[in-house]
Structures are given as structure tokens and as C-alpha cells.
Amino acid sequence: MAMRLRIYRNIIKQGFQGMWRNRSMGLASVSSISAVLLILGVVLILILTINNIVLETKTKFDEIQIYLEDDMTNDDLDRIEDSIREMEGVLSLVFISKEQGLEIMKEGWEEEAYLLEGLEENPLQDSYIIQLVDIKYAEGIVSNLRFMEGIEDVKYYQDIIDKLMLVANYIRFGGIFIIGALMLVSIFIISNTIKVTVTARRREINIMKYVGATNGYIRGPFIIEGILFGLIGAAISIVVIKFGYEYFFKSVNDRLYLLFTVYLVAPSLLIKDIAIIFTAIGVGIGGVGSLVSLKRFLNV
Amino acid sequence: MAMRLRIYRNIIKQGFQGMWRNRSMGLASVSSISAVLLILGVVLILILTINNIVLETKTKFDEIQIYLEDDMTNDDLDRIEDSIREMEGVLSLVFISKEQGLEIMKEGWEEEAYLLEGLEENPLQDSYIIQLVDIKYAEGIVSNLRFMEGIEDVKYYQDIIDKLMLVANYIRFGGIFIIGALMLVSIFIISNTIKVTVTARRREINIMKYVGATNGYIRGPFIIEGILFGLIGAAISIVVIKFGYEYFFKSVNDRLYLLFTVYLVAPSLLIKDIAIIFTAIGVGIGGVGSLVSLKRFLNV
Amino acid sequence: MIELQSVDKEYDNNVRALINVNLNIHKGEFVFLVGSSGAGKSTLIKLLLKEEEPTSGRIILNNMDITRVKNRRIPYIRRNIGVVFQDFRLLPNKTVYENVAFAMEIIGAHPKEIRRKVPMVLSMVDLSRRASSFPDQLSGGERQRVSIARAIVNSPPVLIADEPTGNLDPETAWEIMKVLSDINGRGTTVLMATHAKDIVNSMKKRVVEIHEGRLIRDEQKGGYGNEITNI
Amino acid sequence: MIELQSVDKEYDNNVRALINVNLNIHKGEFVFLVGSSGAGKSTLIKLLLKEEEPTSGRIILNNMDITRVKNRRIPYIRRNIGVVFQDFRLLPNKTVYENVAFAMEIIGAHPKEIRRKVPMVLSMVDLSRRASSFPDQLSGGERQRVSIARAIVNSPPVLIADEPTGNLDPETAWEIMKVLSDINGRGTTVLMATHAKDIVNSMKKRVVEIHEGRLIRDEQKGGYGNEITNI
Ligand SMILES: Nc1ncnc2c1ncn2[C@@H]1O[C@H](COP(=O)(O)OP(=O)(O)OP(=O)(O)O)[C@@H](O)[C@H]1O
Ligand SMILES: Nc1ncnc2c1ncn2[C@@H]1O[C@H](COP(=O)(O)OP(=O)(O)OP(=O)(O)O)[C@@H](O)[C@H]1O
Ligand SMILES: [Mg+2]
Ligand SMILES: [Mg+2]
């Protein structure tokens, strides 16, 4: 038992030592790993941002308008209001009288507003605007509303929403595909880098084998080295992305809001996820890459 | 002279031989180079596509509408029409009489169209819609039109266009920045890969120096090897991107048109540019990378 | 202890390095392996270490047919054999001390034991002053002695030395021979491939000669060989 | 031809490998460089090749102070010296033939000349049969002979050999010595570091002995040294 412990201690010691003594090769590995993860991070943020813009834009159209029949009593209104509020997915409810409706219309028409002056009576109806918690509740609520008493018409922006949903889906699937592919490529490059550094030391591995070291004993320090390289590489890329994105966020966020009334994903949230993903990739590929690369040199 | 030629021949021969005899390391280099360029390609296409969508969308709003004064003679119309056609940047001109205008309005208003039935007389004016060759001509034309006789009002979608122009600019600058950064990172990774493979052969380089080879003689084959690696790596990534993008184009282009009435950049155009860029990067970094990496081992 | 039964070795490029070699070395023997350059001495040693596989024949080490052994077991076979390699095979990223200690670490030796034995063997090969040098900071003979120190540090039951004095001056060579002799005296079986005529002639040990892959002589208390050499 | 004027060499780790060495070798001489392991023989050779720089002193080769020479000129100095390295230094990715041819290619020799001379020197060191082998397919002695072949193929005015017979059996060693002797007879200056007592004693050439970095003996027609060796 004590012997096993000693062997493990030795392996760890040699892992750190090996990293230090091969630092010139190591530097190349580490910087390649950081660079690849950096690319991954930028693309990840890019896709998340686009996705966010589309999803946020969609919520702008996330409302249902219902037109009421004429001559409703306040009791009728209360009844309708209550039963709508009870429905699942309703966020808020705003009453708009037909007078308010005409005012809004006039504002919206801007220069053509004078056309409305020619009207003899207000042709509009009282209405409610329902804000939804999420677009997914829309269909359920709309079909319920259609059967309610006192409601003449139900309108919501099915077209635009459907279109935006489609775009969002494309972006989501495309994004997942691109990020997935990119992750594979990154993993490939990182494991390639590890492989080259291991290959450069094949003679060393052979010598260890010839003096009687077991595969496990040889692997150990290499895996630790690989993990350390991965860890350092990941750490560097995380730090760069953190500061890079925070800077980007500061300088772009407000302008973006003016344009799309959409905000960027907050750095704190994003960075945490990226840190977890990158550390996993760095450490995982560093370790597993070393393991796999070693395999073909251990058979001597 | 004959001696110089022989030396050059030898260097080239040894470059090819070296590539073949170091093929296991070479494979790692080549595949890393392809992988990095692949990422670069995907991001390039992504950004170009987004840019394209925005620019195309913008052209949808690329028109100027002018409203004519009442009671114009056909001569007047011809005169106006002619002088507009003579302006720089005008693509087409369509006359819309006030009756047609009302019809269009009714169609656009859909359910609210009945409101227009209440009108006693047609309050609209005859108008022209001017399609522009490019949005950049808009301001010039608009200011010209404002001083023309017989024209009561000039309208164009300044707001939307300005917004879209802004977005397009952001995307263009952001895109150039991202692609520039990505290119730097790619170059870094590729030269890193080359560096590691050169480092793995430092002993060989030293030996050559010790038997009296000049720096030039040693560099030659390494640079040729580097260029060949870069070339092969670039070729692989170009082929993958070509077929990948053609497939993507086929399966997405029509759907994209339905959504945004925008087409993707045609593969033939895109691939040619990418091929040129990638070959330049691959060959350049392969060669220069080898040269730079060699430098520190040649001083023995 | 070591037995080769009609062993053949043909390399990939059709070089027949060993042809029908039969050899039996008993526990505690000291055997010189001689033969001209390229005769097949190192090949024979590589077969014992499972660095190469014989094309045919059987190799028995410690009553075990090592040609049939599982891959997983190879390291444990190698640990019973201390080897001085003709090309030294030192780990370039480890100091002299660490190279020798490495052989002890892999078998899980106690750190105290390592700290006691490594300096001891280094002083036996007269390298105490170079303990913290890296291999590429050593002279040829110093490297060779590190390889010797590493081979003997675990007091293995079998010691194989491939030309262990090729880079040593005669005086140092004799000191090394004394070390090997002592180890042999304590029961270790020693097989030494060598070109050192003087040493073979003076030591009067068993001599096995290989010529172009064939075992052509196996003499107790033999000499280096017939004197064809003229000045 | 070769002159060292109060040369000192101290390595980074404070090892003083050479201390105030003065040596003058004339054109056409044959000089043995002897001394125990770690004495500083290879260091002296490395200085002549500009593989290492002296800490102080001057080294003159062919009337040129090579410690002052520009980096660009180094390859041309090296081309005038054929070197057999103690650790061979063969190019691992080139065959035996290509390794030897390489030395001719770098000086721009005519292909016809290469095709004529390479087989010739390979047969001189008895390696014709191994021409298409790679270094790691060779025995120790074969590698050493490739290194010798490469050193002599360009018929350099100076030949430096660092322990060129360490891995060779006495018979082959004598053949190599005959080759070196012949080359020397044709006017090449030869400097050979060696531990081969028999060879030094029989050849009756100038012997220079280094001991712990100091030049302690310089004899015409000398022997290997005082016989302390007992069996
Ligand atoms: N890996 C290999 N592949 C092909 N041929 C080889 C290989 N190793 C050795 N040989 C050949 O096998 C023969 C025997 O080689 P070996 O190394 O056993 O000789 P040796 O007796 O040790 O010689 P030396 O005294 O020079 O070290 C040689 O001719 C050599 O060229
Ligand atoms: N690169 C180096 N860095 C530090 N010390 C070195 C270096 N090379 C050699 N030495 C030391 O310098 C001394 C002389 O070494 P050198 O190689 O010249 O000896 P040598 O006479 O050739 O010995 P051998 O006969 O064993 O080859 C040795 O003690 C060695 O440890
Ligand atoms: Mg051998
Ligand atoms: Mg030496």
C-alpha cells in the first residue's frame, strides 16, 4: 500500500517536473490550446448574441389583442378580465377603450392621420391587450378566447411570430451544429498538438519501457502534463474572453439596445458557462489526448 | 553556376523526401492546418451571409416615392419622368395614379379597409415610385427632387434605411474585426504547429550544421516541407468547404429566400475567394513559419 | 537461467542477424559475448529484453518462455534484468541522479532506500561529482557510466552489458570490470558483449563468440579469439 | 595548421573542462589525444569545430583565428574538417548512402562524383551491404563506420576522430586505423581522441595527454601512458 502511494506521488512529481523541463514545447501546446478555445469562445458568443436578438425581437410581438362586443357593462368587463387572468401563461392585461384606440391609431398614421378626421363616428371597439409569459401559450389562450362570450374578435401576430420562430429555430439548430462542429475541430486540433509533443518524446517513452516501467507508470506523468497544459490553455482563453467580452459588452450593449431594443447576454452569466465548458475541454482533451497519443509508443 | 543549380535541385529533392519521411508528424501538421482553416472558412461564410441578409433587406426599402401636384398634363408627366430618368442612380420608375394608390392602401389595411369606404373623395395624389441602383444615391436624388416643379412631396424610408445601414456597418466592422482576429489566431496556431514539428527535429538540424551545411542549405528543404504541408492543408480545407457549402447552399437557399427574400452568396464566387485566401495563408505560414522556427536552431 | 533454443532473427530488411543460436547460461555465470561488428551480439541482447521478437525459436529466462509472455508482464521481466545499453539510453530530461533513481522509483522503492543507494552506485562508477548534470552535459564515458549505475542499482538477478567499456579509458574500464566482477561474485548472472580484447583475455571467463549470426565458439575460461591482428 | 593558445573552457555549470591548453599541430601530422574519461578530449574537439566557444584563449586553424570568425563563415570552416563524432550524429531520416552523400551535396559536388565516391568510401569501411539501411537499423559499430565514411568522403585537409574505434572489434578497428593512416599518408592532418591502448602503443605517433583539463604530456612516438592497470 505504502509502495502504491509512493508510486503515485512519484508520478505526480514527474508530471510537474516534465511540464517544466519541456516548457518550450509546452508553451507551443498551451498557446495553441488557448488560441483554439478563443476561437470557439468568440463563435459561441456570436451565435448566442444573434440567437438572443431574434428571441427578444420575437417577444415584442408576443401579445394578443381582443376586441369586445359593443355595449358591455362594467360587470361584463370584470367577468372577462377575471377569466382571462386565470388562464395559464397570461402575464398582464391592459384595457384600451375605443376612444384610446382611435388616438393610438391617429398617432400611428402620422401624416395620414387627417384621413381619420373625416370619420363620422368611431368605428373601433373596446379591446384588451394580453401580454403572454411565453409565446408557447398563445394558441391555447387564443382558442379559449374564441369561445368566450362578449368577445367579437381575437387577433395576434401569428405570421410574424411564426416567421421569427422559424428563424430562431434555424439559428438554434445552425448554431448548435456550428458549435458542435467547431468543438470537434477544436478537440481535434488540441489532441493533435498533444500528439505532436508526445511524439517528439517517443524516445524517452521507449527508454522508460526498456528499463522496466509499466505503461501506467509512464502514462501517469504524461497525462498530468497534458491536463496541466490543457488547464493553463483553458485558463488563458477564459481570461482573455472574460475581459474581451466585458469590453465588448460595455461598448456595444447600449447601441444594440437602441437598434433592436435588445440587450446582450450579461458577461457574468456567459463567462461562467464558457469557463466550465473550456476547462472541461482543456482538461479532458489534455488528459485523454495524452493517453491516446501515448498508446502507440507504449508497445515496446 | 552548375554547382548552384545542383544545390537547388538537392534542396528541392530533400524537401519532398523530408515531407515523406516525416509523414507521421506531417500528418498532424497538415490536419491541424486544415482544421484551423476550416474554422476560418465557416466563420467567414457565416459573417458574409449575415452581411448579405442585412444588405439585401436594406435594398427592399431602397425606393423613393414622390407625390405630384394635382391636375398635371401628360406633357408635365413626361417632362418629370424624363428628368428623373436622367438622374444618376435611378434604376426604374413606376407611375401610380391616385386611384391605384387607394386600392393599394385598401389592400394594405386589410380589415380596417372599411374605414376608407367612408371617405367622400380620394384624398390621395398621383405618385411615382423610384427604384434606386444603390442607396448611396438617395440623398442626392431626394434633394434634386425637392426643387423640381410639379412635385408636392418626396418620401423615402430614411429611418429604416439609416437603421439598416447602421446595422450593416456594425456587421461589416465587427465581421472584419472578427475575421481579422481569427486570421491572426489561425496564423498563430499554424506557425505553432510548424514550430513544434521543427523543434522535434532540432537534433537533425544541429547535425547538418556540424557537418558544414550552410543555413540556407538547411532552411531550403524545411521551407519546402512547410510550404507543402501548408498547401496540402489548405487544399483539404478548401475541398471540404466547397462541398460543405454547396450542400448547405442547396438545402438552405430556398428556405432563406422565403424568409428574408434574400439569397445566399453563390458557392462558385465564394469558393474562389476562399481558395485564394487559404492557399495564401497555408503556403505563406508554412514557409515563413518554418523559416522563423528554424532560426533559433541554426545558431550552432 | 538464460536459455536460447534454436533462435533465428531476421529483421524486416531481410538481414539475418541470428541463425539457429543455442545457448544456455546458468545462474551465477559470467559470460563474455564476442564477435566482430555487426555479428549479432546486440540483437541477442535485444531478444532477451523483448525489444525485438525472435523469428523462430524459444527464449527461456528464469524458467519462463518469454516469447509467449503477455504484454502486460513485460515490464516485470525487464525489472529482473539490469541492462547497460550500447547507446546508453539515458532520459534526456533527467539529471544523472534522477536517471539512476528512476530505475528504483518504478519498482516503488522507498525514498530512504533511494537516497541511500543512488549516491552509493554513483560513487562506484566515480560519478558523484556529476550527480546533478543532465546527460547532454556529460562526456561519452560519463554517460556510459550512468547507464552502468542505473543497470546495477536495483541489484538485479541478471545483468546484461552491451559494450560497457567502449567509451572508457583502460583504467576506468578496469574499475568497471571490478564492479561487475563483484556483482557477479554476489550471485548475479552477467552477460557482457564486448570488443575489449585485453579484458576478455585477462578475466578467463566463459566466452561465447558469434560470427555472422551463428554461434561459433563457446569456451570456458576462453580468450578473445584467434590473433589475426597485425600492426 | 591547428594551434591552441592558452585555451580555457568552463561550461555553464562551472565545470572547467580545459585549463590553459597550448597545442600546436603541424600540417600532415598524426596526433593521438588520450586521457581518462571526462578529461576534456571531446571538449577540445568541440572547440575546433566551433560547437563550443572557449572561455578564453585563441584557436588558430589554417592561419585563421576561428574564435573571431563571423557566423556566416562557420560552415566553410567545418567543411575543411572531417569529423567522426563520439556519438556518431547520423541523420536519422537518411540512409547510410544518403548520410555520406549529404556531406558531398552540401559542398555542391557533382552527382557523378557523388555516385563514384560514396560507394568507394562505404567499401573502405566495409559497409557496402548496408548502404540502404537507416541508422536505427545498424549495429553500434556500423553506425560508427558510417560516421567515419562521412568524415573522409570529402578528403578534408584535417580529419578529427573522437574515439572512432570505441564500438569496433579489434580487427575492424585495425582496418579503420589503416584507412586513417593512408589518409594521413596522403597529407591529411589527423587528430584522434582514443582510449585504444593497443593502437596508440603500436602506431608510434605523437601522443598528447590531457588530465583533468590540463595538457600534461606531448610526446613524439609516444605510448598510451604509464601502465597502472593490474588485472
Ligand atoms: N533494427 C534493425 N533492422 C534491420 N537490421 C538490423 C537492425 N538492427 C541490427 N540490424 C542488423 O543486424 C546485424 C546485427 O546487428 P547487431 O546490432 O546485433 O550487431 P552487433 O554484434 O551488436 O554489432 P556491434 O559490435 O557493431 O554493436 C547487423 O548487420 C545490423 O545491420
Ligand atoms: N555541455 C556541457 N556542459 C557542462 N559540462 C560538460 C559539457 N560537456 C562536457 N562537460 C564536462 O566537461 C568535462 C570534459 O568532457 P569531455 O566530453 O571533453 O570529456 P572526454 O575527455 O571527451 O571524456 P570521454 O573520454 O569520456 O569522452 C566532463 O567532466 C564533462 O562532464
Ligand atoms: Mg552491438
Ligand atoms: Mg569524449
Side-chain angles (χ1 to χ4, degrees), chain B residues 229-243:
Chain B
F229 285 158
L231 209 58
I232 297 172
I236 292 173
S237 61
I238 291 168
V239 168
V240 172
I241 285 185
K242 181 180 151 61
F243 288 106

Side-chain angles (χ1 to χ4, degrees), chain C residues 12-149:
Chain C
D12 292 342
N13 57 354
N14 299 324
V15 174
R16 295 181 70 186
L18 290 178
I19 302 164
N20 193 28
V21 172
N22 286 284
L23 179 64
N24 199 333
I25 297 172
H26 297 289
K27 195 168 153 49
E29 268 193 296
F30 194 118
V31 179
F32 284 117
L33 190 60
V34 302
S36 55
S37 175
K41 304 179 294 297
S42 300
T43 301
L44 193 152
I45 289 170
K46 285 176 187 166
L47 294 181
L48 294 177
L49 267 181
K50 281 186 82 60
E51 186 180 334
E52 296 283 351
E53 292 300 316
T55 315
S56 67
R58 302 210 309 157
I59 298 171
I60 289 144
L61 203 90
N62 241 335
N63 299 320
M64 201 195 312
D65 183 348
I66 62 163
T67 52
R68 303 253 171 105
V69 98
K70 279 192 201 123
N71 269 353
R72 265 182 358 89
R73 299 292 312 160
I74 296 176
Y76 302 95
I77 293 174
R78 287 179 180 153
R79 288 177 191 185
N80 284 321
I81 314 175
V83 187
V84 184
F85 296 94
Q86 191 169 10
D87 50 0
F88 318 147
R89 302 202 183 163
L90 304 177
L91 295 167
N93 285 323
K94 291 191 184 294
T95 64
V96 167
Y97 184 97
E98 288 163 355
N99 261 284
V100 178
F102 184 78
M104 296 188 76
E105 283 167 1
I106 56 172
I107 60 166
H110 196 282
K112 235 189 233 160
E113 184 73 3
I114 295 178
R115 280 196 295 274
R116 191 180 66 80
K117 274 202 98 178
V118 175
M120 201 179 84
V121 293
L122 284 183
S123 91
M124 277 165 76
V125 298
D126 196 18
L127 275 183
S128 306
R129 287 181 318 153
R130 294 278 169 273
S132 57
S133 296
F134 287 93
D136 64 3
Q137 298 177 325
L138 297 179
S139 82
E142 286 165 347
R143 281 178 215 172
Q144 192 153 41
R145 285 178 278 156
V146 180
S147 191
I148 294 167

Side-chain angles (χ1 to χ4, degrees), chain C residues 144-162:
Chain C
Q144 192 153 41
R145 285 178 278 156
V146 180
S147 191
I148 294 167
R150 182 180 59 188
I152 62 178
V153 71
N154 282 332
S155 315
V158 179
L159 181 69
I160 296 179
D162 197 349

Side-chain angles (χ1 to χ4, degrees), chain D residues 5-10 20 47 53-59 67:
Chain D
Q5 296 175 352
S6 38
V7 167
D8 277 279
K9 173 63 189 176
E10 185 172 340
N20 193 29
L47 294 181
E53 292 300 317
T55 314
S56 67
R58 302 211 309 157
I59 298 171
T67 51

